[in-house]
Amino acid sequence: MQSDTHDDPVQVAYRRDGRRVFATLVRLLGDFDLAEDALQNAFAAAAERWPQDGMPANPVAWLVSAGRFRAIDQIRRQRRAAPWSEVDEKAESLPDPAPLPEDRDVLEDDRLRLIFTCCHPSLSEQAAVALTLREICGLSTEAVASACLVAPATLAQRIVRAKTKIRDARIPYEVPDAPDLPARLGQVLRVVYLVFNEGYSAAQGTDVLRPDLTAEAIRLARLLLELLPEPEVRSLLALMVLQDSRRAARTDGAGDLVPLDAQDRALWDTAAIAEGRALARDALGSGRAGSYSLQAAIAACHAVAPAPEATDWAAIAGFYDALLSIEPSPVVALNRAVAVGMRDGPEAGLPLVDALLQGGLDQYHLAHAAKADLLRRAGRGAEARASYAAALALTRQEPERRFLARRMADLDR
Amino acid sequence: MKYLCLVYLDRENWSACPDPVCADYAKHLAETGTLVAGEALHPVDTATTVRVRNGQAQLYDGPFAETKELLAGFYLIEASDLNEAIRVAGKIPPARYGSVEVRPIRQLQLDG
């Protein structure tokens, strides 16, 4: 396919509808690899026919039937070459030519089926992230490998293993029924948020070829919200949009992390903040607030504060209380302790952080860093230094190490 | 499609789930046509591992690998897909005390 003309209708259709067509082909052919081949063949056919015959009225339906037709053709040819193989069975089991998939709902369901299959809870989260980026977002294997910071061969193997499991363990290509939906959707959202965090915490600007995973995750959440307008989907989108609104202020010229209270708030993206707040408000107002709704509400509190001193820590601590009650995890408790320390003063936060350190977070660098910050604010410099050193000893990430070292050096000033 | 649900328990919980409870569930699965076969196993102290090397059978006292959770029994079930198999496995009574591994059954390749 040519790539020089970006308004070539085949190219446009590939970018806009490629994954949609793929999702339907997976259902019709019952196999990811067969569907991928069929997709490529369908677009090759389009590149040949569309310039002559003109654009079909319904390009998606045209591409689906072209892909399906070529896949069946391919299976038949294989059957002739290897009459004893299981190919026979495969061709027999293909569904009859379905009515042309003009029904929008059926197509949209296929996209949801693809999402729920790639994020099936029986797949490891690592495998689900790789599959999601490859099959739903349509990134190349090389791009996904670079995004996940692994060798392309490792990533390719991870994807092959996941597809083999889908096929051999027979993970069904379906949208879960109502009773299973909340848990299954929770897993999908976890995978989307993992993709986002993978992009959010990665070293910034070192590799221009590295795909922007935060943008992919936000795009995924928008698609999911369109297909499944649930409050938690809306909330996760709000949370990511709000976190991403601080992108320009999160790192300085040297690529070092800038903490929230030191960020230049003029660099925050006001349009993104407005969108994120509106989404968060809608979700909270639905009366079915879950974990992401509360996290989005907290992010919104930070986003609207014109200065760090103006942050509504009482509201934030309240949201953390609620979050802790539905998601009792030590990390949530740590964030709550920090918020309490901001609301009631460092001496109020310290015993909470100490209890968490003793209760199993002693290997978690952010717990030591939180304690160090509280001690610093309480004017207990020597103790703060020891805690920064403990945090530093536990983290491998370079920007984070530089940040902690800087905070430690600031104690001397 | 068939799935083998392997029930693993550690020694402390080996007898935690009463036999009649397990038997009831097996009976229920049999009545709904889901159960192909299911058995409980004696503890691993009774196991003998057989390996054939150079045509010689080598015998070992105990299981092949020493792990905390040990194979305690199995349910061979018929299910339409993994979701259904997981639903069945999730109701296997000893899953509350140990774990259940769900493995799809493979057809032997006899024609290649």
Side-chain angles (χ1 to χ4, degrees):
Chain A
M1 252 176 280
Q2 312 147 343
S3 52
D4 48 311
T5 47
H6 70 279
D7 49 357
D8 169 10
V10 179
Q11 287 285 333
V12 172
Y14 190 80
R15 273 195 306 275
R16 194 191 52 214
D17 298 323
R19 298 333 284 176
R20 203 186 294 263
V21 173
F22 175 73
T24 297
L25 286 171
V26 173
R27 173 169 56 81
L28 294 177
L29 301 170
D31 183 276
F32 275 65
D33 292 331
L34 217 51
E36 187 63 45
D37 284 349
L39 177 76
Q40 300 307 328
N41 289 333
F43 276 98
E48 208 173 284
R49 302 287 303 276
W50 291 5
Q52 290 175 31
D53 306 352
M55 275 281 274
N58 184 340
V60 172
W62 191 98
L63 288 159
V64 167
S65 36
R68 184 181 172 280
F69 176 76
R70 273 159 188 76
I72 291 172
D73 200 44
Q74 191 185 335
I75 292 169
R76 290 216 177 101
R77 266 183 284 120
Q78 278 172 9
R79 173 155 55 168
R80 273 201 294 278
W84 58 83
S85 78
E86 63 184 16
V87 171
D88 239 8
E89 200 184 314
K90 212 176 217 170
E92 295 304 319
S93 67
L94 281 180
D96 285 334
L100 272 188
E102 310 214 10
D103 184 348
R104 202 182 123 80
D105 289 347
V106 174
L107 283 183
E108 301 294 71
D109 273 358
D110 283 337
R111 309 188 82 187
L112 266 182
R113 284 188 185 96
L114 182 60
I115 292 171
F116 277 105
T117 302
C118 290
C119 301
H120 195 272
S122 73
L123 298 170
S124 74
E125 285 183 341
Q126 217 181 32
V129 165
L131 263 190
T132 296
L133 291 171
R134 177 71 196 83
E135 311 298 343
I136 305 170
C137 303
L139 300 185
S140 70
T141 303
E142 290 73 26
V144 180
S146 137
C148 298
L149 300 174
V150 295
T154 310
L155 197 280
Q157 206 181 28
R158 200 175 281 173
I159 289 179
V160 167
R161 209 181 296 134
K163 285 187 193 164
T164 305
K165 180 165 184 182
I166 290 172
R167 189 189 61 223
D168 290 349
R170 201 177 287 180
I171 293 177
Y173 198 60
E174 64 184 24
V175 178
D177 294 335
D180 294 332
L181 192 61
R184 292 287 306 279
L185 181 59
Q187 177 68 3
V188 171
L189 296 179
R190 242 188 316 281
V191 170
V192 173
Y193 198 35
L194 258 171
V195 169
F196 181 82
N197 281 316
E198 189 95 27
Y200 197 66
S201 61
Q204 315 277 322
T206 48
D207 186 355
V208 285
L209 293 177
R210 206 173 164 220
D212 180 356
L213 289 191
T214 55
E216 289 296 343
I218 289 173
R219 236 194 313 274
L220 268 170
R222 288 193 198 285
L223 167 65
L224 198 55
L225 183 61
E226 195 185 300
L227 299 172
L228 204 63
E230 290 286 314
E232 279 295 86
V233 180
R234 198 178 301 278
S235 302
L236 176 59
L237 178 59
L239 175 61
M240 295 192 301
V241 165
L242 287 167
Q243 287 185 357
D244 199 46
S245 72
R246 299 195 286 268
R247 168 193 291 257
R250 280 186 76 232
T251 49
D252 60 19
D256 279 347
L257 288 176
V258 181
L260 197 55
D261 58 6
Q263 287 178 11
D264 176 0
R265 296 184 180 221
L267 293 176
W268 289 1
D269 180 344
T270 48
I273 290 172
E275 189 203 354
R277 287 183 66 197
L279 286 164
R281 215 176 14 240
D282 285 356
L284 268 181
S286 73
R288 290 190 286 148
S291 160
Y292 291 118
S293 312
L294 294 165
Q295 292 181 65
I298 292 164
C301 285
H302 286 298
V304 296
E309 318 72 85
T311 307
D312 186 352
W313 287 106
I316 291 175
F319 285 128
Y320 272 120
D321 284 340
L323 189 56
L324 196 58
S325 72
I326 58 170
E327 190 185 308
S329 88
V331 173
V332 173
L334 177 66
N335 285 314
R336 178 183 166 269
V338 170
V340 169
M342 294 306 291
R343 184 189 64 191
D344 304 336
E347 299 289 357
L350 272 169
L352 300 175
V353 175
D354 271 332
L356 289 164
L357 279 167
Q358 282 155 23
L361 282 189
D362 59 323
Q363 294 300 306
Y364 185 52
H365 70 280
L366 291 180
H368 290 281
K371 180 174 179 182
D373 276 334
L374 288 166
L375 288 165
R376 176 180 56 80
R377 285 178 40 226
R380 291 156 64 175
E383 292 163 90
R385 185 183 313 279
S387 284
Y388 279 127
L392 206 49
L394 288 170
T395 177
R396 301 272 161 276
Q397 270 200 326
E398 256 330 295
E400 213 144 348
R401 290 182 63 85
R402 285 198 295 273
F403 167 68
L404 289 167
R406 223 166 39 235
R407 276 269 152 123
M408 206 163 151
D410 285 347
L411 288 172
D412 297 329
R413 281 200 226 146
Chain B
M1 172 134 169
K2 291 193 186 70
Y3 294 85
L4 183 61
C5 302
L6 297 153
V7 177
Y8 287 88
L9 290 166
D10 59 24
R11 285 173 193 276
E12 289 143 52
N13 290 310
W14 193 263
S15 309
C17 189
D19 280 356
V21 176
C22 295
D24 279 352
Y25 188 56
K27 187 159 166 264
H28 162 74
L29 291 181
E31 280 164 6
T32 54
T34 306
L35 189 74
V36 180
E39 301 290 349
L41 303 177
H42 280 294
V44 287
D45 311 324
T46 63
T48 304
T49 299
V50 181
R51 269 195 272 189
V52 178
R53 295 291 181 276
N54 301 319
Q56 296 284 318
Q58 300 171 349
L59 303 186
Y60 299 87
D61 183 11
F64 174 65
E66 200 61 55
T67 49
K68 207 171 164 293
E69 290 203 320
L70 303 157
L71 188 60
F74 70 89
Y75 294 75
L76 181 63
I77 61 162
E78 185 70 46
S80 60
D81 56 43
L82 184 63
N83 284 358
E84 192 188 334
I86 289 171
R87 269 194 293 277
V88 172
K91 292 192 196 120
I92 291 178
R96 294 192 293 262
Y97 309 98
S99 54
V100 178
E101 180 179 325
V102 180
R103 290 273 286 272
I105 295 295
R106 177 173 72 87
Q107 293 298 313
L108 293 178
Q109 303 288 310
L110 301 174
D111 46 14

